[in-house]
Amino acid sequence: MTSAAGFAARAQTRDPAAVAFYDSFNDRLARLPATLQPDVRAFYEMNGWRPVWNAERRRSLLAAAGRAERHGLSPDDFFGDLERAASDPAGIEMATTGAALTYARVLAEGRVRPETVEDLWEMQKNRVDLPAGLNDALAQNRLVDWFETLAPTDIGYSNLSAGYVRYRRLIRDNGGWPAFRAGPNIEPGGSDPRVPVLIQRLVAEGDLDAAAGARLASMGNVYGPELEQAVRSFQTRHGLVSDGRIGTGTQRSLSASAEDRARQIALNLERRRWLKREVAPERIEVNTAAAIMVYWKDGRPVHSNRVVVGSPSNQTPSLEKQFASVVANPPWYVPASIARNEILPRGPGYLASQNMYISNGQVIQRAGPNAALGYVKFELRDSYAIFLHDTPTKSAFNLAMRQRSHGCVRVQDAVEFARLLLSPDPALLAQFDEAQATRETKRIQTGREITVRLLYWTAFVDGQGRVAFREDVYSRDEKLAEALGIAVSLPKPVDDGRGRDADDVGP
């Protein structure tokens, strides 16, 4: 603080309470969390070290706090202690500022640091000057509006937020849905005593409308075609094989409670708050939990592909990097760990059969139709050897669980996707097409910056406005929930394909 004596002398004649607040400022500041103290100090410096909270401003603050549920948050976590401080005017002043700035920080940047819950997280974080923002909001009497600007406002967050509110209402009004018990598979055309519970479950989340549910329930335990269609909708929404059979994977997803799914949505809202709000209008986004890639152009999603991403033991990290160039017919410079553990032990015969050779201690696979990188590689700058690429192993794209690579992202129909990216410049596209025709290895610059974002969303809103879920194959929901103090019990994923092919050693 500056000019302490002068301020105290002036304040003495006007407001003894201000002098008392000033004199006790440092002591009260020290009682706040150390990470919060710089923001509180900066805020009061802007306000001449004077109290700022009156009854009207506190009402506005509590009105903003009343919207916390939209963000998967509880207002009590931030403002629950204020009533206990009400008997001490100086104490409630500082406590109110601390609560306001803490809540603002969570909305703007998230509650936990992403690096503490993910092994490698390298994306652009959101950053906001909260003391200045709070000061301006109070001065302009727009506190509620300011808090609403802090959380993401994109459609992905807004729709997921609305989904969270729907699940919470479902829990409050109906207690969620009845528990579905695991048991034998339920086959289409069969009969099972769990069918009435199944119907209630599907109606609750909108896979079956209420009128149809009531009609089907009157038919007893029959698992008929109409109910099977609703189950297929459920399976698609959960990233399962949409075959209408209620087997192990579908039963595990059905067993999740409404409370657990609501908490899973809250975890994904937290993840979205970590990210910088401004995104490139042209970008490639890969959801590693869903193994889906979406290409955005001019701020709109224009193309999507299935992808294969890292297995649970070789997870694709959360990265945001610039897309630099396309390599037609790329050779593969095998990472040392893959070469040491999976290739070299098989001997010279295996290397020859895979068109591989050793140069200066590096295992290299020549370009060709059976090369691990296929016919095209999408290079990222400084990406820890993580990149997007084609693959000769196409069958994995048909699986529901596509987390089975060494960490890189294999793109379905990769050659056509490369042509789409290069199509704005006919000369570049012609170079690529010529290289594909001659099977020449050729690097082609894109001529513009395209951002690639590798994300992990286990809950998101689908094209029909329903919340879609994916099981926590990387256990990141579990780790984040622990950091947030949220108790959650999510179904374990079921691999619908056989384990990694022993001959599939690609990245």
Side-chain angles (χ1 to χ4, degrees):
M1 300 182 200
T2 59
S3 305
F7 170 76
R10 288 194 302 274
Q12 186 83 38
T13 61
R14 296 197 305 271
D15 187 358
V19 175
F21 174 74
Y22 179 86
D23 288 344
S24 64
F25 183 90
N26 284 330
D27 287 341
R28 295 189 182 280
L29 183 69
R31 300 174 193 172
L32 296 176
T35 55
L36 183 60
Q37 292 177 23
D39 280 351
V40 173
R41 183 179 289 278
F43 173 76
Y44 281 107
E45 184 174 10
M46 295 174 192
N47 285 276
W49 312 105
R50 302 170 187 269
V52 300
W53 295 100
N54 55 33
E56 181 181 354
R57 286 176 167 180
R58 286 195 187 93
R59 281 194 295 271
S60 293
L61 178 61
L62 293 178
R67 304 186 181 192
E69 184 183 56
R70 301 180 186 181
H71 307 287
L73 301 169
S74 169
D76 288 343
D77 289 347
F78 307 94
F79 303 100
D81 292 336
L82 293 185
E83 288 187 10
R84 288 193 286 274
S87 60
D88 177 5
I92 195 172
E93 167 70 27
M94 192 80 84
T96 301
T97 300
L101 287 170
T102 300
Y103 181 52
R105 181 74 67 193
V106 170
L107 290 180
E109 301 174 11
R111 201 164 193 169
V112 304
R113 291 175 52 242
E115 302 92 338
T116 64
V117 291
E118 296 202 21
D119 292 335
L120 178 58
W121 191 95
E122 192 169 300
M123 307 194 73
Q124 294 188 44
K125 294 181 182 179
N126 198 48
R127 285 290 178 260
V128 178
D129 186 343
L130 295 173
L134 179 59
N135 181 66
D136 292 346
L138 289 171
Q140 298 169 23
N141 194 29
R142 51 181 301 275
L143 197 61
V144 174
D145 292 339
W146 177 67
F147 275 103
E148 287 299 294
T149 68
L150 295 175
T153 56
D154 64 279
I155 191 169
Y157 185 92
S158 300
N159 285 348
L160 195 58
S161 168
Y164 179 82
V165 172
R166 288 200 303 274
Y167 275 73
R168 276 286 155 217
R169 187 179 301 124
L170 180 65
I171 293 166
R172 282 196 298 267
D173 295 348
N174 303 313
W177 49 68
F180 183 91
R181 304 300 178 191
N185 291 354
I186 305 177
E187 302 291 343
S191 179
D192 192 280
R194 292 168 291 174
V195 164
V197 169
L198 172 65
I199 292 171
Q200 293 180 63
R201 178 77 164 79
L202 296 173
V203 168
E205 288 190 281
D207 296 294
L208 183 68
D209 70 60
R215 178 166 40 79
L216 293 174
S218 69
M219 298 167 62
N221 297 337
V222 177
Y223 182 39
E226 189 174 358
L227 185 54
E228 179 189 342
Q229 201 59 39
V231 168
R232 289 178 183 270
S233 169
F234 176 91
Q235 290 171 327
T236 299
R237 192 165 55 81
H238 288 76
L240 302 164
V241 176
S242 181
D243 58 5
R245 296 180 66 252
I246 306 176
T248 303
T250 301
Q251 290 193 37
R252 285 189 185 179
S253 290
L254 285 168
S255 71
S257 71
E259 185 67 47
D260 283 328
R261 289 308 192 194
R263 291 175 178 179
Q264 188 175 16
I265 295 172
L267 296 176
N268 282 269
L269 290 171
E270 166 74 5
R271 281 196 188 96
R272 288 177 179 266
R273 288 191 290 265
W274 296 338
L275 300 175
K276 185 178 179 181
R277 305 298 185 251
E278 299 79 22
V279 294
E282 183 179 22
R283 62 190 185 274
I284 298 166
E285 293 189 343
V286 176
N287 179 356
T288 55
I292 293 173
M293 182 190 77
V294 178
Y295 172 51
W296 294 72
K297 186 77 179 291
D298 299 324
R300 298 182 302 108
V302 297
H303 182 81
S304 65
N305 295 67
R306 289 187 169 199
V307 295
V308 171
V309 296
S311 67
S313 58
N314 296 282
Q315 298 181 15
T316 300
S318 297
L319 293 176
E320 184 169 3
K321 297 293 179 182
Q322 295 301 311
F323 174 57
S325 58
V326 168
V327 180
N329 307 299
W332 179 33
Y333 293 84
V334 181
S337 60
I338 298 178
R340 181 176 59 251
N341 297 325
E342 301 183 43
I343 294 176
L344 293 175
R346 303 188 187 196
Y350 176 79
L351 268 71
S353 72
Q354 300 299 310
N355 207 11
M356 293 177 176
Y357 65 99
I358 300 174
S359 176
N360 297 322
Q362 166 101 59
V363 176
I364 302 171
Q365 185 181 44
R366 297 179 180 90
N370 297 317
L373 302 188
Y375 290 120
V376 63
K377 170 185 175 183
F378 305 84
E379 291 188 322
L380 309 182
R381 296 196 183 100
D382 305 318
S383 61
Y384 303 94
I386 299 295
F387 48 83
L388 284 62
H389 64 94
D390 186 21
T391 175
T393 310
K394 311 294 187 186
S395 59
F397 293 122
N398 297 321
L399 299 175
M401 184 176 173
R402 298 186 294 280
Q403 290 81 10
R404 49 205 325 113
S405 79
H406 278 100
C408 287
V409 180
R410 306 176 185 182
V411 180
Q412 189 176 33
D413 299 325
V415 171
E416 287 307 309
F417 181 58
R419 298 188 79 253
L420 175 64
L421 294 180
L422 296 172
S423 62
D425 190 324
L428 296 178
L429 179 58
Q431 291 180 43
F432 179 76
D433 286 343
E434 181 182 3
Q436 289 297 338
T438 62
R439 295 304 177 208
E440 173 193 4
T441 297
K442 187 176 183 63
R443 177 174 285 102
I444 302 164
Q445 300 298 326
T446 59
R448 65 194 189 280
E449 295 289 334
I450 305 175
T451 299
V452 176
R453 306 170 87 209
L454 307 180
L455 306 156
Y456 188 73
W457 305 142
T458 60
F460 53 95
V461 174
D462 66 14
Q464 300 178 48
R466 307 172 306 173
V467 180
F469 295 98
R470 295 296 183 270
E471 308 309 4
D472 184 25
V473 67
Y474 287 169
S475 299
R476 293 181 188 172
D477 279 353
E478 184 179 334
K479 196 169 182 180
L480 178 56
E482 183 179 355
L484 291 170
I486 296 175
V488 65
S489 176
L490 297 172
K492 298 300 182 185
V494 175
D495 193 342
D496 61 320
R498 63 194 180 104
R500 167 187 280 279
D501 188 327
D503 290 329
D504 179 9
V505 296

